[in-house]
Amino acid sequence: MAEKPPASREIGSILAQLQTFIDDAFEFGFKKLKTFGKKKPPMKNPETFKDQASEFAHKSAGFIGDVGSSYYETYQKLKTKKEKKKSRK
């Protein structure tokens, strides 16, 4: 009969899975925002508040999507660098 891992290992494993799920959800959301921000909103009259707000929303979504993409790209590079350092020891 296999020995059951201690509760601390189980909790750590669950937290790691939760973190991965949250990272995946945020990464997906940032990609969607970036895609939404690239689309130009249809404008009938650029002087109206509605069209200005729509344009602002698209620009903001694109900006936030770019920030998120940059974050995850840099995060992956740092993790890879850390693993390489760890494996050399």
Side-chain angles (χ1 to χ4, degrees):
M1 185 168 158
E3 193 173 315
K4 188 175 178 184
S8 59
R9 301 286 297 169
E10 288 290 325
I11 292 170
S13 177
I14 290 168
L15 290 175
Q17 291 173 16
L18 179 63
Q19 180 66 47
T20 301
F21 173 76
I22 291 169
D23 281 347
D24 290 346
F26 271 90
E27 193 170 7
F28 175 78
F30 285 132
K31 285 180 184 177
K32 287 295 183 182
L33 284 172
K34 192 173 183 178
T35 302
F36 179 76
K38 288 182 179 180
K39 295 177 185 175
K40 295 293 177 193
M43 289 199 188
K44 295 177 184 170
N45 184 2
E47 303 295 319
T48 64
F49 177 75
K50 180 181 176 184
D51 284 342
Q52 289 175 353
S54 177
E55 182 179 14
F56 178 75
H58 279 265
K59 285 182 179 179
S60 297
F63 177 78
I64 292 169
D66 283 340
V67 168
S69 292
S70 175
Y71 169 81
Y72 279 105
E73 287 170 13
T74 305
Y75 181 68
Q76 289 300 327
K77 287 177 187 175
L78 292 172
K79 278 178 62 175
T80 302
K81 189 176 177 181
K82 183 178 178 180
E83 286 299 317
K84 285 182 182 178
K85 263 186 175 179
K86 197 176 183 181
S87 66
R88 281 189 236 156
K89 289 182 179 180

